[in-house]
Structures are given as C-alpha cells and as structure tokens.
Amino acid sequence: IGDGHTNLFFPFNSLFTKELKRIPLYVKVKNGNIMECAASLDAIIPESARILSINGHSAEEILTSMLPYVSGERVHFKLSRLDMMFTALFQLLYSNEEYLIRYIEEGDKKVKDVVFPALVWEDIVRRCSSRGSKDKKEQVSVNHPYSYRLDHDKSVAIMDFRECVDPNGMKQFADSLFRTLHREGIGNLIIDVRNNGGGTTLVGDVLLRYIATEPFVQTEKFLFK
C-alpha cells in the first residue's frame, strides 16, 4: 500500500530449507539500482565489486522487478528494504541451476564473467566469504546492521549504519568503536545512514549517548489514531 511502516514479513524458514539450492552470492543493494558483492563462492568475486548482470538480467532489471514486493513511500527507501529481502526475492523470481554473473571490480574497467552452481545452505556457509578475509573461517556477515572502518591518513572512522536493530548489540559495537577511536587517536567519525531502512529509536539512543555533549530526547511522546 506504499507505506513504509506496513510490512509483511517474508517466510524465510518455509522457503529456505536445508535442501534448497540457491545462488552462492550475497549482494548489497544501493541507490541508483546498484548491486555490489558482499560475499561470493570461494571469494572469487571481490567484496564491493559491482554486479552488472545475472543470467543476462541486468542489475537494474532485477531490482526494478523486485520493487513491487516491498512497501515504502520512496524508491530509495524501498531499495533499502530490498537490501534485506534480496536473497528471498531473487530465489522466487530468478532461481536457476547455475548463474552466469557479470561483474566489474572496484577501480577496474574490465568486465569479468563467472559461473556459479546453485548450492545448498551448508555449502554456501562453508564456501561463501569475502576475499579480504584474513581468516578463511571468518564468514562475511552480510546482514550485520553496523560496521566501521578506519582511515588513519585522514584521521577518520566511517561507520556503516544499515539498520536500527538490537540495542544490546549496538552497545557492544559502540563500546568497541569508541575504545578504538581513543586508542588510535582518531577524532572524526562519519556515520553513513544512506542505506538505513529504519528500526527502533532505542538503537539511536544508545549511539547518541557516546556522542552527545548534553542531555537529549529523541521523542517525547507518540499519539496513535
């Protein structure tokens, strides 16, 4: 109905059984109908590589076909919802026995192709990771709602804040983040919320307590009709 706070939750457990074969690729959906690799089979496609097409379907075609299945007032908000729903909707709309993926690596102009077979969940967990992972056992958590990276040259930390969920998890994350900032002597923090689909304001409260220099209130009261 076009309302961002009206939603049907997808029955993931009903569709994604242990026996179901699916694409061994995780993507990040970004504004502008862009799909980037978050993790792939045996880390063949590097993280942040741009996915141009899958089995001949362009990224724009794939994302556009998914938009009617998520609710929201604006396209960029619906794309943020797709970031969480992509795997499920792709399985429903584009499942196949194998996937020809065309991609281009960050900073490169050469278009590359790779063919992945459809795999069951156990194999995907074992073999899907980021090429940049130092430990092969370390799997990319594509659904993690927040992460950060450091740029020591510019004395800045960039926090990727994708979803307002899990206040306790945010407390642990923020503790680690700000301890690191103090230890490394980094005085600037950029919080990137461009792909944030919303959630609970409690998570924002937790984060703001580490930044605010005076007492604050996000919301004083709600009126429901």
Side-chain angles (χ1 to χ4, degrees):
I1 62 174
D3 173 64
H5 287 87
T6 303
N7 194 38
L8 288 175
F9 291 99
F10 193 90
F12 287 97
N13 292 335
S14 298
L15 174 66
F16 290 106
T17 62
K18 291 182 178 180
E19 298 78 21
L20 179 77
K21 291 186 176 182
R22 63 196 85 169
I23 186 171
L25 171 74
Y26 293 103
V27 305
K28 294 176 285 188
V29 177
K30 297 193 172 183
N31 288 327
N33 289 321
I34 293 173
M35 298 191 309
E36 289 185 356
C37 175
S40 71
L41 183 66
D42 299 329
I44 293 174
I45 302 177
E47 187 178 358
S48 297
R50 184 167 176 175
I51 306 300
L52 303 178
S53 65
I54 302 176
N55 284 350
H57 302 284
S58 69
E60 182 176 5
E61 177 189 349
I62 292 172
L63 296 179
T64 300
S65 69
M66 293 178 177
L67 284 178
Y69 298 96
V70 293
S71 191
E73 296 89 346
R74 296 175 176 84
V75 172
H76 73 270
F77 180 87
K78 296 176 76 171
L79 286 172
S80 72
R81 281 273 175 88
L82 282 185
D83 197 41
M84 298 177 282
M85 293 281 292
F86 181 87
T87 302
L89 292 175
F90 186 87
Q91 182 66 29
L92 288 176
L93 299 172
Y94 298 98
S95 60
N96 213 314
E97 291 298 314
E98 63 179 22
Y99 300 94
L100 170 61
I101 302 170
R102 179 158 289 182
Y103 66 97
I104 186 168
E105 296 187 24
E106 193 174 15
D108 195 357
K109 295 182 179 180
K110 184 179 179 181
V111 175
K112 299 179 180 180
D113 290 339
V114 63
V115 176
F116 288 157
L119 296 175
V120 297
W121 173 242
E122 182 178 341
D123 292 334
I124 290 177
V125 170
R126 180 170 53 86
R127 296 178 60 187
C128 272
S129 63
S130 164
R131 185 185 292 182
S133 174
K134 295 180 180 178
D135 183 352
K136 291 184 179 180
K137 294 181 181 179
E138 178 188 347
Q139 303 298 322
V140 171
S141 178
V142 296
N143 292 321
H144 200 283
Y146 18 83
S147 60
Y148 72 91
R149 65 185 188 277
L150 304 179
D151 187 333
H152 289 90
D153 294 335
K154 297 180 180 179
S155 186
V156 65
I158 301 95
M159 175 183 170
D160 193 0
F161 193 5
R162 293 179 289 277
E163 195 176 358
C164 299
V165 296
D166 190 7
N168 291 329
M170 172 57 81
K171 178 67 167 62
Q172 297 175 3
F173 170 83
D175 278 344
S176 173
L177 168 62
F178 284 94
R179 278 201 307 269
T180 300
L181 296 184
H182 288 302
R183 184 178 67 248
E184 301 291 333
I186 293 177
N188 303 292
L189 173 64
I190 296 172
I191 302 176
D192 187 348
V193 295
R194 288 174 296 178
N195 294 304
N196 193 305
T200 172
T201 56
L202 295 176
V203 176
D205 286 339
V206 173
L207 180 60
L208 286 173
R209 291 190 188 103
Y210 288 83
I211 302 172
T213 57
E214 57 186 45
F216 65 90
V217 173
Q218 282 203 73
T219 305
E220 194 169 65
K221 66 179 179 180
F222 292 95
L223 296 176
F224 289 99
K225 182 176 180 182

